[in-house]
Amino acid sequence: MVPEVIPSITHEMTPRSSIAHYRITSKLGEGGMGAVYRATDTKLNREVAVKVLPDVFAADPDRFARFTREAQVLASLNHPNIAAIYGVEESALILELVEGPTLAERIALGPISLNEALPIALQVAEALEYAHEKGIVHRDLKPANVKVTPDGRVKVLDFGLAKALASDPIPANPASFPT
């Protein structure tokens, strides 16, 4: 049986849609570079997030290059406070599914106490420090791109606008980075 292909984000996705061996179960959100869906990895029996680049963007060389760059940037980052990438299928990124509200959703509920805010800020800073040590700048850090899991772990999301600090290969020694 041939799996259905995910339609562009301009059409509502049905719960039975799939891409490769990922069965889409619901839509999580939509941003400037595509829609994000909850899916089940039918080979590994785990929940994942699938970020789909719309067909119109996939046909645009600049946008497709940005999408490819996001995959490569994420693949170069391995940190407990940065959402992981598991792979690329067609015009979709297969990502770690991070449960919990975004920081924007949490802020909308009301003031955040200092005791709650400090651990969040520390974990965001640790994620960014790690990315910077790898020569990567996020460039779109905002509360909507930070999730807080039910156990208090912070995950920085969406490196779609990330940029390497230099076009040269990243030096292995962080001491040689520009300040």
Side-chain angles (χ1 to χ4, degrees):
M1 182 172 160
V2 177
E4 297 175 46
V5 176
I6 291 179
S8 72
I9 63 171
T10 57
H11 304 295
E12 191 61 33
M13 175 169 285
T14 61
R16 302 187 123 199
S17 297
S18 62
I19 185 167
H21 60 278
Y22 301 95
R23 189 178 70 250
I24 307 302
T25 56
S26 64
K27 188 173 188 175
L28 296 173
E30 193 167 337
M33 282 297 291
V36 180
Y37 299 91
R38 174 187 288 269
T40 300
D41 179 335
T42 60
K43 287 187 177 181
L44 297 176
N45 195 29
R46 66 177 172 180
E47 297 295 302
V48 297
V50 177
K51 183 175 184 178
V52 180
L53 184 67
D55 293 338
V56 67
F57 291 176
D60 179 327
D62 290 335
R63 293 209 182 188
F64 192 76
R66 184 171 144 196
F67 187 76
T68 301
R69 184 177 64 243
E70 180 179 3
Q72 293 168 342
V73 164
L74 282 173
S76 73
L77 300 175
N78 182 15
H79 189 273
N81 298 116
I82 297 174
I85 183 169
Y86 298 142
V88 179
E89 295 287 345
E90 299 171 29
S91 293
L93 301 180
I94 312 305
L95 305 165
E96 173 184 4
L97 178 66
V98 182
E99 300 287 359
T102 66
L103 188 53
E105 293 165 338
R106 172 56 192 90
I107 291 169
L109 296 176
I112 299 176
S113 72
L114 187 59
N115 287 341
E116 185 182 355
L118 286 177
I120 292 170
L122 178 62
Q123 291 178 70
V124 169
E126 288 171 349
L128 295 177
E129 178 183 40
Y130 175 82
H132 293 175
E133 286 173 355
K134 296 288 187 181
I136 297 166
V137 178
H138 189 285
R139 296 193 329 164
D140 193 25
L141 186 64
K142 58 189 176 188
N145 286 339
V146 175
K147 282 200 130 191
V148 182
T149 67
D151 66 352
R153 166 96 46 197
V154 169
K155 293 281 189 169
V156 176
L157 313 171
D158 198 356
F159 276 77
L161 293 179
K163 179 175 177 69
L165 291 175
S167 57
D168 298 329
I170 298 169
N173 181 0
S176 65
F177 290 165
T179 303

